[in-house]
Amino acid sequence: MKGFRFASYVPNIKGAADFDQLFDIFQQLLLIFAGDVAAALDYMNELDRQYNLTSDAYAMADFIQDLKDKGYIQETEGEGQGIQMTAKSEKSIRKRSLEEIFGKLKRSKSAGNHRSTFSGQGGEKTGDLRSFRFGDNLEQINLTESLKNAQVNSGLGESFQLTEKDLEVVETETSLNTSTVLMIDVSHSMILYGEDRITPAKKVALAMAELIKTRYPKDTLDILVFGNDAWTIQLKDIPYLEVGPYHTNTVAGLELAMDLLRRRKNRNKQIFMITDGKPTCLKEGINYYKNAFGLDRKIVNKTLTIAAQARRMNIPITTFMIASDPYLKQFVRSFTEVNKGRAYYSNLDGLGGFVLEDFERNRRRNVR
């Protein structure tokens, strides 16, 4: 009788020892090891020993030399002698994150345009036609349809004439720029229980930054991290981001996000918050009030007050909660209700898709 024969799984790595495939693994490891090139290469060497990633024709030393020759890594001099990423490598990681998370997104022909529920004179043409109204731009007139209407209404020959009632114009969508603040939780819980939650968050931040730079160049994106305190980080800092021995001061993060958006002149403003834990910390003067056990009423009330302030400033907050505890979900529901924002309870695999969906949805409406 025929049956099944079981054996140890051996990955099919035939032909995998080329630069592009090894580079893909290398970029993943750079995010996991917070930009530590030496640690990433050490881990790749271990993978190579276990799974024979390379061959005699193209070994790890050849890959490392190619990384140097292509300008992705460079050696440092002085007391901190070692090896580090270059700006080219950082840019490549952003592009890879965009392709991985937002790969299905088609690039718009008109960068920086955002759909709205009303029509305007500037922006992308929708293809819809309507009758001419006083104040319409002459460039909006559809000449072919207008002449056709004139022919039907007045006929050809000496009686032919083009009047205002014959004119048809093409609708356009108003160009709306958006200012976004992305908040990333860097409290210790982001790496607790053997689950790496900070790496997916970094991928989302990199992908969003690359998306805005390439598709919506007139938009602004500020990125901040929050633990015991909150501070902004630059685009180049994201791959090196690490979790610290922090509690979760959500209030400090929201206050900084709102301060950043006050300085932006765009009408559309929004906050995206990626977190896996409850607020557990407040700063009072130079001291910290901390309580990691349950939901502290004092901390929760202050957090809800900030959510209400954001609502009054017409700033919706979208919370991406990487947790499944019922009492935490109840807190997020209360927080979302006060702000009139949205909340998603996402696992790590679905995080990027949820962010994309909401990010694009806000572009299709006028955030008020």
Side-chain angles (χ1 to χ4, degrees):
M1 185 177 74
K2 293 184 178 180
F4 296 96
R5 184 177 180 182
F6 295 91
S8 298
Y9 172 70
V10 179
N12 181 13
I13 46 80
K14 183 179 181 180
D18 60 55
F19 178 82
D20 290 338
Q21 290 171 305
L22 292 175
F23 188 53
D24 185 68
I25 299 172
F26 178 64
Q27 289 179 103
Q28 292 269 28
L29 292 175
L30 282 176
L31 283 181
I32 293 173
F33 289 105
D36 189 330
V37 174
L41 291 176
D42 283 344
Y43 199 84
M44 284 197 72
N45 273 305
E46 181 62 30
L47 291 175
D48 188 30
R49 283 192 290 271
Q50 291 187 34
Y51 301 110
N52 298 321
L53 298 180
T54 64
S55 64
D56 293 341
Y58 191 78
M60 280 300 301
D62 299 314
F63 172 65
I64 295 173
Q65 187 60 49
D66 277 349
L67 287 174
K68 294 178 181 179
D69 294 341
K70 294 176 183 291
Y72 290 111
I73 61 175
Q74 63 184 11
E75 295 182 355
T76 58
E77 299 178 354
E79 294 183 1
Q81 185 173 4
I83 196 165
Q84 65 182 17
M85 286 196 299
T86 63
K88 182 179 180 181
S89 188
E90 293 168 357
K91 183 177 181 180
S92 177
I93 292 175
R94 292 200 306 270
K95 288 185 175 181
R96 187 197 180 283
S97 298
L98 178 63
E99 292 170 359
E100 179 181 348
I101 296 177
F102 299 159
K104 296 181 181 180
L105 186 65
K106 295 182 179 179
R107 183 176 177 84
S108 171
K109 295 181 179 179
S110 182
N113 290 341
H114 308 279
R115 297 179 182 176
S116 177
T117 55
F118 55 91
S119 299
Q121 294 181 4
E124 185 178 357
K125 294 182 179 180
T126 65
D128 297 329
L129 299 176
R130 62 168 173 80
S131 299
F132 177 85
R133 293 195 294 260
F134 178 77
D136 285 336
N137 195 313
L138 294 179
E139 294 179 356
Q140 292 177 256
I141 295 176
N142 185 304
L143 187 57
T144 301
E145 292 299 322
S146 299
L147 290 175
K148 184 187 298 183
N149 291 338
Q151 179 182 349
V152 172
N153 294 331
S154 64
L156 296 176
E158 295 181 359
S159 62
F160 177 82
Q161 56 180 344
L162 180 66
T163 64
E164 181 179 329
K165 68 178 182 180
D166 299 321
L167 298 179
E168 291 196 12
V169 298
V170 181
E171 292 272 31
T172 59
E173 294 174 330
T174 303
S175 178
L176 299 173
N177 299 327
T178 302
S179 292
T180 303
V181 173
L182 177 64
M183 298 172 51
I184 301 176
D185 186 349
V186 292
S187 62
H188 185 61
S189 59
M190 291 289 278
I191 55 171
L192 279 180
Y193 315 117
E195 188 171 42
D196 177 10
R197 297 165 174 172
I198 190 64
T199 299
K202 288 194 290 185
K203 284 184 179 180
V204 169
L206 289 166
M208 286 185 67
E210 189 66 13
L211 176 69
I212 288 176
K213 286 170 66 69
T214 56
R215 183 170 180 179
Y216 303 110
K218 294 182 181 180
D219 280 9
T220 64
L221 174 66
D222 293 289
I223 301 172
L224 66 86
V225 295
F226 62 105
N228 290 350
D229 299 286
W231 62 97
T232 58
I233 60 174
Q234 300 297 317
L235 179 58
K236 62 182 179 62
D237 300 327
I238 299 175
Y240 308 96
L241 189 61
E242 294 184 271
V243 169
Y246 308 125
H247 284 69
T248 307
N249 192 344
T250 307
V251 169
L254 290 172
E255 287 178 335
L256 178 55
M258 291 162 59
D259 185 53
L260 291 169
L261 290 175
R262 284 190 189 97
R263 305 173 193 175
R264 300 298 185 184
K265 297 182 179 180
N266 293 338
R267 181 181 179 183
N268 287 3
K269 300 177 181 182
Q270 59 187 349
I271 296 173
F272 285 176
M273 179 169 63
I274 300 175
T275 180
D276 75 319
K278 57 187 177 293
T280 60
C281 177
L282 290 175
K283 191 169 185 180
E284 299 178 323
I286 61 173
N287 299 314
Y288 295 93
Y289 175 83
K290 304 175 182 177
N291 184 359
F293 300 98
L295 286 171
D296 185 284
R297 185 173 61 180
K298 179 178 180 179
I299 298 175
V300 168
N301 288 342
K302 181 63 175 177
T303 306
L304 295 178
T305 299
I306 294 296
Q309 290 178 7
R311 171 61 179 169
R312 289 193 291 272
M313 293 173 60
N314 297 321
I315 300 176
I317 302 171
T318 303
T319 304
F320 299 92
M321 194 73 173
I322 314 172
S324 57
D325 307 69
Y327 79 103
L328 290 180
K329 288 185 176 181
Q330 180 57 49
F331 161 71
V332 173
R333 278 194 289 269
S334 299
F335 177 87
T336 303
E337 183 178 354
V338 169
N339 176 255
K340 304 299 181 184
R342 283 180 297 277
Y344 296 92
Y345 307 95
S346 170
N347 57 33
L348 296 177
D349 292 335
L351 179 61
F354 280 123
V355 173
L356 167 62
E357 181 182 354
D358 207 71
F359 195 60
E360 289 294 289
R361 179 186 294 117
N362 283 357
R363 283 181 163 74
R364 291 194 293 270
R365 68 187 184 93
N366 188 20
V367 180
R368 302 189 179 192

